[in-house]
Amino acid sequence: MTTAKNYRIEDISKVSRQQLIDGRDVEALTGARFTRVSPAHGVEVSEFPDADAADVDAAVAAARRAFESGWRTLDGAARAKLLHRVGDLIRRDAESLALAESLESGKPISQARGEVAGTAELWEYAATLARHNIGDAHNHLGPDVMAVSIHEPVGVVGMITPWNFPILIISQKLPFALAAGNTAVVKPSESTSSTTVLLAQLIREAGFPDGVVNVITGAGRVGAALVAHPGVDMLSFTGSTRVGRGLAASAGGDLKKVELELGGKNPQIVCAKADFAAAVDAAVFGGYFNVGQCCNSGSRLIVHRSISDEFAHAVVERTRHVPVGDPLLATTQVGAIVNETQLATIERFVGEGVSAGATLLSGGTRFAGATPLFFEPTVFTNVTGDMSIAREEIFGPVLSVIPFEELSEAIRIANGTQYGLSAGIWSDDINEALTVARDVRAGTIWVNRWMDGYPELAFGGFGASGIGRELGRQALAEFSEMKTIQLQVGRRASRWVEAPDADRPETS
Ligand code: ADP
């Protein structure tokens, strides 16, 4: 067995990156740049061009040219080869991608390694779909007609991604949009832009034509310019519900197609008769994975009252042994919070929980002595469904235990937020499990498991968790327009009934 490598921040040099537009590495047209500091170490680790609307113009124009000059009509087998090659190149560069991801996000390197491995699989899966971009055929509409419905690419897709799983999230969109024949302009989060830039370079190395994938770097302002650009046909966004709402409103005015993956406040319902140890394990993993900065975080633990105290204490006991610290160490499980703003948000929610009367069982503060952006894994009990810690997405390592008596009450609490991304049920009773699976409104339901995702399974949310679905075999349809083509069988009979001459009105 090989031992996973540790890194030391002292050995890391700051890297300077560029945008990729029309196959070339370029600065922002203004020459402006911005810097990223590793949140776990307070050290500058990377620097990027700070784009503005003129850079967006250049990237969209390149994407349009690439779309019209052959990419749109390329055969699926050729697309599949290119997509597969990207998967291979991601595997080749997996370690350097994981390191870049960990440095900029503050996530543990072990989790960054897992993220990169999952990313390669997404490109490989999209490659298989590229050869099966099939529509529908109709042969029973009438004796003189057949019809086919085919998918056509939408055109230029603007993609905007967040900082929590940058290379994974762009790869839930990009390879599928490319498989469907679209071109793209990608704007990663300003906090974690490196792996998206590196991915674009791998896409170029794989042999994709210039302009098919373009990456611009900068803050929300340049994202807004991309959203508003008249040359963008579709927007695919992952991020906060707040920004997603604004984006959808703007896209709605322009009648652009949108696909949104937004926040979640995901319940895990734990019944009295369940695999207690597995549920505790899932609670800890679901709450602290990626430092809780995860749209699928299982932050609401809705636990049967008969076991809720015991459950909460078991979670606290496990929490005590979670290795928190330098994300560059292979053993670390909880790293740093991405930035001060996010940390302040977590602190505000924890304060609101305490003021509302919830019991703080563990954590609740910054880590004393560490660099400033670490927060202790936190557990609340005696939480009620109306508290902000039970309703709002915190995006930090904060778990709330909410007791219930009847399953119907648990389902009501589970459905009691604006979100509907994912939910879980822990129960040995098949009827309890099936009732939750049917009645909880969420895009994914886990029964006696939590958090696993597969490229084959659709992902997305109800309500304020988003619009549309990524992944799965329907992912190509999400990035397509459907065109119906009717075919006449035999000679077309006239549909006009000619009036006899005598009945025709006089015309002058
Ligand atoms: P997160 O904080 O989880 O990254 P945000 O919703 O704040 O979530 O940001 C997600 C992405 O949206 C980032 O790339 C960010 O730069 C971008 N963004 C922020 N504001 C806007 C906006 N008004 N229009 C378009 N993109 C934006």
Side-chain angles (χ1 to χ4, degrees):
M1 198 181 109
T2 52
T3 313
K5 187 170 177 189
N6 290 316
Y7 293 92
R8 294 180 340 135
I9 191 67
E10 297 78 16
D11 300 333
I12 304 284
S13 318
K14 179 173 160 185
V15 289
S16 173
R17 306 213 188 271
Q18 291 178 300
Q19 308 183 102
L20 194 139
I21 298 178
D22 209 10
R24 288 192 306 274
D25 300 310
V26 293
E27 292 298 325
L29 287 165
T30 61
R33 296 181 72 76
F34 66 93
T35 299
R36 176 63 182 157
V37 169
S38 159
H41 313 97
V43 170
E44 290 190 357
V45 287
S46 41
E47 204 188 88
F48 304 89
D50 195 1
D52 69 10
D55 299 283
V56 175
D57 279 344
V60 172
R64 176 66 57 196
R65 277 195 303 277
F67 181 68
E68 297 299 350
S69 56
W71 183 253
R72 183 173 71 90
T73 50
L74 188 69
D75 57 276
R79 281 193 223 292
K81 277 203 187 88
L82 290 168
L83 292 163
H84 218 285
R85 226 174 269 154
V86 177
D88 290 342
L89 293 174
I90 291 169
R91 290 187 196 283
R92 184 196 69 190
D93 289 358
E95 188 62 16
S96 52
L97 290 166
L99 178 60
E101 198 82 315
S102 172
L103 280 172
E104 288 176 9
S105 67
K107 75 171 66 189
I109 183 98
S110 59
Q111 291 170 20
R113 288 181 178 123
E115 180 186 343
V116 172
T119 297
E121 286 189 30
L122 293 171
W123 285 82
E124 289 157 0
Y125 177 63
T128 66
L129 291 184
R131 303 186 72 154
H132 289 270
N133 193 1
I134 47 179
D136 257 332
H138 301 261
N139 192 32
H140 299 283
L141 301 169
D144 62 346
V145 59
M146 289 193 295
V148 290
S149 301
I150 59 171
H151 291 142
E152 287 199 356
V154 184
V156 175
V157 184
M159 301 182 179
I160 299 176
T161 51
W163 44 261
N164 57 344
F165 296 93
I167 195 169
L168 185 82
I169 288 175
I170 190 55
S171 301
Q172 292 186 185
K173 305 175 184 298
L174 188 53
F176 299 92
L178 296 174
N182 301 279
T183 58
V185 177
V186 180
K187 207 294 284 176
S189 166
E190 57 275 33
S191 301
T192 54
S193 304
S194 270
T195 51
T196 304
V197 171
L198 293 168
L199 177 65
Q201 290 169 357
L202 297 182
I203 291 167
R204 178 174 57 189
E205 184 181 343
F208 277 76
D210 292 348
V212 169
V213 175
N214 307 274
V215 175
I216 49 174
T217 52
R221 186 174 49 86
V222 75
L226 181 61
V227 169
H229 199 289
V232 171
D233 301 299
M234 175 177 176
L235 291 158
S236 176
F237 171 83
T238 300
S240 64
T241 294
R242 180 185 64 78
V243 173
R245 276 186 208 282
L247 183 150
S250 165
D254 297 337
L255 292 178
K256 286 176 184 158
K257 202 170 153 80
V258 290
E259 184 267 325
L260 305 173
E261 299 301 335
L262 308 176
K265 186 70 187 175
N266 311 296
Q268 296 208 56
I269 298 174
V270 185
C271 295
K273 285 213 176 71
D275 183 338
F276 189 88
V280 169
D281 196 69
V284 172
F285 183 75
Y288 307 145
F289 177 65
N290 214 49
V291 206
Q293 301 164 117
C294 183
C295 57
N296 262 339
S297 171
S299 54
R300 282 192 296 159
L301 303 169
I302 304 173
V303 185
H304 194 266
R305 195 176 290 284
S306 63
I307 58 164
S308 65
D309 280 346
E310 189 192 351
F311 189 84
H313 284 99
V315 170
V316 168
E317 187 50 32
R318 285 292 301 278
T319 298
R320 255 194 269 285
H321 299 106
V322 170
V324 184
D326 187 346
L328 297 181
L329 300 179
T331 48
T332 296
Q333 292 297 312
V334 172
I337 303 299
V338 72
N339 57 34
E340 176 57 41
T341 311
Q342 185 55 32
L343 191 59
T345 303
I346 298 168
E347 284 179 321
R348 175 171 58 78
F349 275 117
V350 168
E352 285 175 14
V354 171
S355 310
T359 308
L360 185 60
L361 267 197
S362 75
T365 54
R366 293 181 191 226
F367 248 52
T371 53
L373 294 181
F374 285 83
F375 197 79
E376 290 189 23
T378 297
V379 183
F380 277 108
T381 49
N382 297 320
V383 178
T384 54
D386 56 337
M387 295 179 187
S388 64
I389 53 170
R391 303 179 63 78
E392 304 297 333
E393 185 176 46
I394 298 175
F395 237 56
V398 181
L399 289 167
S400 290
V401 178
I402 309 169
F404 75 91
E405 309 269 357
E406 300 292 331
L407 191 64
S408 57
E409 184 192 357
I411 292 170
R412 190 173 45 71
I413 296 168
N415 286 335
T417 74
Q418 61 175 331
Y419 299 110
L421 190 60
S422 59
I425 164 84
W426 293 91
S427 174
D428 289 344
D429 180 333
I430 183 95
N431 291 318
E432 285 181 333
L434 292 180
T435 304
V436 165
R438 188 194 57 196
D439 291 346
V440 171
R441 291 176 56 76
T444 295
I445 308 278
W446 282 287
V447 177
N448 293 325
R449 55 196 286 123
W450 185 261
M451 199 76 114
D452 293 345
Y454 297 86
E456 292 85 348
L457 300 182
F459 176 67
F462 287 38
S465 289
I467 296 176
R469 293 290 180 273
E470 294 179 343
L471 311 185
R473 68 188 164 89
Q474 79 295 331
L476 266 52
E478 194 73 43
F479 289 102
S480 302
E481 295 282 11
M482 187 160 258
K483 179 182 277 180
T484 299
I485 304 172
Q486 287 191 25
L487 307 163
Q488 175 68 29
V489 179
R491 289 235 172 258
R492 173 83 165 159
S494 171
R495 302 286 289 270
W496 290 104
V497 179
E498 300 275 325
D501 284 352
D503 295 349
R504 287 201 186 135
E506 288 290 323
T507 52
S508 53

